[in-house]
Amino acid sequence: MVRRDLVSDFTGATECVSRLTVDGTEHASLALLGIEASEGAIAAPVLLQHTLRYVLSTEPKQRASYFKALLALSDLDLLRERVQAQAASLDGVPLGSGLTALERLSRTNFANVAVGLRELTGEKSEIHAEAGRLLVAESGRILKREFDSLNELVTALEQESQQRNDRAFPLTDFLSNPIESVPATPSLDKYADEIQRADELAASLLPVLTAVLGVPEFEHLDHPVDCPVCRTPKALTPDRIGDLRTLVRDNNHLLAAAGAATKALTDFRAQLRIWISSVRASVPKSGLWTVEREEEVSQASSDFGGAVPGLYIEARNQARSIASRAEDLVEIADRLDVVAETLLDLVARRRAIPDTIQISTDEIQRQTTILQEFVRGSEAAGKLRDVVEPVLRTRFSSEGTTELLALARALPGFVDEQYAIRQRAALALRLGRAAKIIKSAASAVLDARFAIMSGSITRWWASIRPEELVGFAGVKRRAAGAIFVNLVAALQADENTEVVERDALGVFSDSQLNALGLSTFLARAELVNSPFVFLDDPIPGSDGDHRLTFVQNTLGGLLDSGRQVIITTYDPKLAEYAHTMNESWDPITYDLALLNLVEGTEPIQTSDAFSRYMLQGEDGLSAPTAIGRRGACTAYRSAAERLAKQIVATNRSDAGTPTTVAEVERQAATLGELTPLVAPFTLSADEKGKWRVMPKILNPGNHDDDVPSTMDLKQIRGNLRKIHKAHKEKWGGRLAS
């Protein structure tokens, strides 16, 4: 079940939006069914009445786009447009850091260096080597100094720039450096647990005992010897050595814990000293100035004038505050170091750690956070830099040393950008040539496709309008063919005269233009190998002379090609011709009837005998003469008789007596005879009355009596449709045949 719902309609400014579902699941296209949609007016293999002559009535540019899409050539135009857009985009690449530095350098005393760098070509390695050589040589010539390498040049420029700026105004002295992270608190829990389990006196002697047991002579002692510690004669016996080994072995965990604690405390003190150094280094130099240096810089700030003196005082006070807070942090850290030293001594002597001696970094962490937030929140140094730097840059802009330093630092980026510029220029040339080649090739492909297209259109045209002196001569480009495409007609006075070609839109009649639009659509379906086509009144009612040729030749050709064809039409003759002429294909027909305004249009299958009779009745339903309506009477009576036989046969078979329509017909052939048989199987109270009244209305149509009016016939038609629908629904959509 394929369904497409309109979400929002076309507004002129925006296209319509729809939602496609296949078996209830939303999809972006019908590709899973093998249906590849194109663009624009031919997005689907569906030809509606209002698009029958789209290609003929649209403006020339749209017609060219239509045929390019029709012939699967839109991708060539799209490719060319993208190639051109890509070429245009190469010119709009913004300058990177390297070229920006080069641009600034070109406005200084080093302008000749910038000119030389712009002219460099070759591979990246070649550009880099030549650029470095050029910078070193030209910079040395202008600065009247010799440099052995680019690194030496950069170092010299950095020193000179810093010294020059510091002489003018020491901005770097107001900068704060980051502080290292506060060292983590050393863990002494393991040592504390082990020292509690051990005898304190024994624990304190463990280092001595371990050293004694480490004497090689005591490893295999077999006789008493003097104690090496207290010198007691014959105090160490083999048994005593064994006891000592047992004591040490029992306290090995304490030894390991003491070693770990010693290492943790030693590492903490080392990290603490590093952290103290970072705290002191974080203080801006201006926070430690002497009175003489402060007066010197104060005078420099006065020389700058404007807001500089006030910002200088604010930044200096800020630096002093940072220095004071940093010194408080150092004092806290020094106290922590003393605690750590005390703990090391206790561990070395294998003493328990009292609760009064503990290392806690909470206070130092809190004070560090406060200092960091203070530094981040202080804007005086930044404001001072923002005011002073532009002045310094202006004062020394003519020298160019700052710009030269910036370019030297950004040399790798400049090399990449310079190489990319050359590559983009070469690529732009290639893309321009490619766009021209694609345009020329597209015209050649278009001509070749037009030849194929023209043959297909001509064949379908001949199937609709055979043996006419007015024919179709093909689709042809006019001039370059990018904007104008002509549909050419072939005219002859008779079969023996020479063919004259004219613009089809100027000489074809409405009927011929409709046929040309249909032929073009069918050629498109053939070219893209569409598995089905949907045609909405392909032969207008005003062109009845070509119903039969369409049904026999065109429709037959479509079916022979293996395509499913769906046709909707208001023309009953076209529907009947199409069904009858192609019965070998077992066509399925439906009557789209508006039986209920609330429920909407209902499709009623008319492929069976009942449906065919109902369709035949449409021809004379609205006839103004009695003769015309008499045919409708006959058709509707036949439809009623057929429906009654189907209802009776279906109900008898369901009751256990298999019955066919033919068997019912042998029992009762006419409507009057069938009415009593169908009465027991009616589904509503009024249905029985409708069956009884139908013979009275329809039978006079076959005699000399008055023929029913159109209104009566429409009422009978509606009754038959409702009865047929109700009984089909009861029996699951099928009645006996």
Side-chain angles (χ1 to χ4, degrees):
M1 173 64 71
V2 180
R3 179 183 180 94
R4 186 177 291 277
D5 294 301
L6 186 67
V7 177
S8 59
D9 206 352
F10 174 79
T11 62
T14 59
E15 296 290 339
C16 63
V17 179
S18 62
R19 181 174 57 253
L20 174 68
T21 57
V22 179
D23 289 336
T25 303
E26 191 166 338
H27 289 272
S29 71
L30 291 174
L32 75 162
L33 301 180
I35 303 171
E36 295 292 344
S38 302
E39 298 294 333
I42 56 170
V46 176
L47 182 65
L48 301 177
Q49 184 72 195
H50 63 279
T51 61
L52 182 60
R53 288 163 60 175
Y54 168 82
V55 68
L56 312 175
S57 59
T58 189
E59 61 183 85
K61 186 174 182 180
Q62 292 295 331
R63 188 181 305 124
S65 300
Y66 175 90
F67 275 107
K68 287 179 180 179
L70 197 69
L71 299 171
L73 293 178
S74 299
D75 53 347
L76 288 177
D77 283 345
L78 179 61
L79 175 60
R80 183 165 60 88
E81 290 172 2
R82 289 185 176 178
V83 168
Q84 292 174 331
Q86 187 67 37
S89 68
L90 296 175
D91 297 331
V93 178
L95 297 179
S97 59
L99 289 177
T100 300
L102 183 70
E103 183 69 23
R104 291 174 178 168
L105 185 66
S106 64
R107 297 191 291 268
T108 68
N109 295 336
F110 294 86
N112 290 336
V113 179
V115 172
L117 291 174
R118 288 184 190 279
E119 297 175 352
L120 295 179
T121 59
E123 297 299 322
K124 281 188 179 181
S125 57
E126 297 171 346
I127 296 176
H128 191 280
E130 185 61 24
R133 187 199 64 77
L134 182 63
L135 275 175
V136 170
E138 290 297 314
S139 300
R141 183 181 60 81
I142 296 173
L143 297 174
K144 296 180 175 54
R145 293 176 57 185
E146 290 188 3
F147 302 100
D148 294 332
S149 66
L150 184 63
N151 289 336
E152 184 180 344
L153 171 64
V154 170
T155 302
L157 290 175
E158 287 175 343
Q159 292 175 351
E160 181 176 340
S161 177
Q162 184 64 50
Q163 292 171 1
R164 182 196 61 196
N165 289 337
D166 284 347
R167 286 194 299 271
F169 198 91
L171 282 176
T172 55
D173 285 6
F174 293 91
L175 299 180
S176 298
N177 295 318
I179 302 174
E180 297 285 342
S181 300
V182 176
T185 303
S187 176
L188 304 179
D189 295 341
K190 186 69 174 176
Y191 173 79
D193 293 341
E194 293 297 331
I195 200 67
Q196 285 181 356
R197 283 196 293 269
D199 178 78
E200 185 172 343
L201 177 59
S204 63
L205 294 176
L206 278 177
V208 176
L209 298 179
T210 302
V212 170
L213 293 175
V215 176
E217 289 80 0
F218 298 160
E219 181 68 25
H220 303 289
L221 186 66
D222 57 0
H223 59 279
V225 296
D226 297 343
C227 175
V229 178
C230 63
R231 309 305 297 175
T232 302
K234 309 298 183 179
L236 284 181
T237 66
D239 292 338
R240 184 57 179 160
I241 290 293
D243 293 340
L244 293 178
R245 285 198 177 101
T246 301
L247 179 62
V248 171
R249 184 174 61 252
D250 292 343
N251 288 276
N252 276 340
H253 292 298
L254 176 58
L255 289 174
T262 300
K263 184 178 185 307
L265 288 167
T266 302
D267 291 345
F268 174 75
R269 295 188 70 193
Q271 294 171 7
L272 193 62
R273 286 191 290 272
I274 295 173
W275 182 83
I276 291 173
S277 298
S278 73
V279 170
R280 286 175 172 155
S282 70
V283 177
K285 294 179 181 179
S286 57
L288 305 174
W289 277 347
T290 63
V291 175
E292 292 77 14
R293 181 57 174 162
E294 283 190 5
E295 292 177 353
E296 181 183 341
V297 178
S298 176
Q299 182 59 47
S301 68
S302 300
D303 294 341
F304 277 87
V308 174
L311 290 174
Y312 158 69
I313 294 173
E314 187 178 349
R316 183 198 61 192
N317 292 337
Q318 173 186 311
R320 287 176 177 174
S321 179
I322 293 173
S324 175
R325 292 168 183 263
E327 193 57 35
D328 293 341
L329 272 178
V330 170
E331 290 180 5
I332 298 174
D334 288 339
R335 290 197 295 270
L336 279 179
D337 186 59
V338 171
V339 174
E341 185 178 12
T342 302
L343 289 172
L344 268 175
D345 179 64
L346 291 174
V347 171
R349 293 187 292 113
R350 304 296 188 266
R351 300 296 185 185
I353 299 175
D355 294 338
T356 56
I357 305 177
Q358 299 291 335
I359 293 179
S360 174
T361 59
D362 293 344
E363 176 62 18
I364 196 170
Q365 183 68 62
R366 188 177 67 83
Q367 294 296 337
T368 301
T369 302
I370 293 174
L371 175 58
Q372 289 172 334
E373 291 177 353
F374 175 77
V375 172
R376 283 194 295 269
S378 302
E379 301 177 352
K383 292 178 180 178
L384 180 63
R385 183 184 64 248
D386 293 341
V387 173
V388 173
E389 275 189 346
V391 178
L392 292 175
R393 196 179 301 118
T394 301
R395 287 186 180 182
F396 303 112
S397 61
S398 60
E399 295 180 5
T401 53
T402 301
E403 289 74 12
L404 182 63
L405 175 60
L407 179 59
R409 286 171 172 170
L411 190 61
F414 162 76
V415 172
D416 290 340
E417 294 169 42
Q418 182 72 5
Y419 181 76
I421 285 177
R422 301 303 180 189
Q423 293 295 101
R424 286 198 298 270
L427 179 58
L429 289 176
R430 293 199 300 273
L431 290 174
R433 288 195 296 267
K436 292 180 181 178
I437 293 172
I438 293 172
K439 182 177 180 181
S440 176
S443 298
V445 174
L446 194 60
D447 287 337
R449 293 285 179 88
F450 273 162
I452 300 173
M453 179 76 173
S454 297
S456 184
I457 294 176
T458 302
R459 183 159 39 80
W460 290 112
W461 166 275
S463 73
I464 303 170
R465 308 181 72 92
E467 301 178 5
E468 289 193 1
L469 296 176
V470 178
F472 179 68
V475 183
K476 299 181 181 180
R477 291 188 300 119
R478 178 149 56 101
I483 298 178
F484 298 104
V485 174
N486 281 351
L487 299 168
V488 182
L491 309 178
Q492 286 179 284
D494 55 55
E495 295 180 356
N496 299 319
T497 59
E498 185 178 353
V499 174
V500 178
E501 293 187 353
R502 293 288 186 271
D503 185 357
L505 303 183
V507 299
F508 273 5
S509 65
D510 280 348
S511 174
Q512 290 167 334
L513 290 175
N514 289 337
L516 181 56
L518 176 58
S519 301
T520 304
F521 171 81
L522 295 179
R524 177 259 180 188
E526 188 174 46
L527 284 174
V528 300
N529 196 27
S530 173
F532 77 94
V533 292
F534 183 99
L535 305 174
D536 176 37
D537 262 326
I539 302 297
S542 60
D543 194 20
D545 292 344
H546 296 94
R547 287 193 193 99
L548 192 56
T549 56
F550 168 77
V551 169
Q552 181 173 328
N553 303 330
T554 311
L555 182 55
L558 288 170
L559 295 174
D560 289 339
S561 67
R563 288 180 178 80
Q564 181 182 3
V565 184
I566 303 170
I567 300 176
T568 58
T569 179
Y570 282 100
D571 187 347
K573 289 185 178 180
L574 178 61
E576 184 178 2
Y577 291 172
H579 185 279
T580 305
M581 188 70 69
N582 297 283
E583 281 187 341
S584 61
W585 292 97
D586 194 18
I588 303 174
T589 59
Y590 294 86
D591 185 14
L592 304 179
L594 187 62
L595 303 179
N596 187 302
L597 291 176
V598 176
E599 295 181 1
T601 302
E602 291 286 338
I604 302 172
Q605 186 173 341
T606 57
S607 302
D608 56 13
F610 168 78
S611 301
R612 287 198 299 273
Y613 290 139
M614 293 293 291
L615 185 61
Q616 291 170 6
E618 297 297 311
D619 285 342
L621 179 63
S622 301
T625 63
I627 295 176
R629 296 197 302 278
R630 196 180 299 279
C633 270
T634 302
Y636 288 142
R637 189 182 68 254
S638 298
E641 291 169 350
R642 179 71 180 184
L643 179 58
K645 295 170 189 175
Q646 288 180 288
I647 293 173
V648 173
T650 302
N651 281 273
R652 287 180 178 178
S653 298
D654 181 69
T657 305
T659 307
T660 64
V661 171
E663 290 172 344
V664 177
E665 185 174 358
R666 285 193 292 271
Q667 180 183 356
T670 64
L671 185 58
E673 296 171 341
L674 288 165
T675 300
L677 297 181
V678 80
F681 307 120
T682 55
L683 300 179
S684 61
D686 64 338
E687 182 183 338
K688 188 177 296 185
K690 292 176 181 177
W691 280 112
R692 289 174 179 173
V693 80
M694 270 191 276
K696 298 179 181 180
I697 295 176
L698 296 175
N699 282 342
N702 290 328
H703 305 287
D704 294 334
D705 298 342
D706 292 337
V707 178
S709 66
T710 297
M711 184 59 68
D712 289 342
L713 290 175
K714 286 184 177 180
Q715 191 66 32
I716 292 297
R717 180 186 65 178
N719 291 342
L720 287 172
R721 286 176 172 173
K722 290 179 180 179
I723 293 171
H724 180 255
K725 180 181 179 182
H727 282 271
K728 280 191 70 176
E729 289 178 351
K730 176 184 176 182
W731 298 109
R734 294 189 62 84
L735 293 173
S737 58

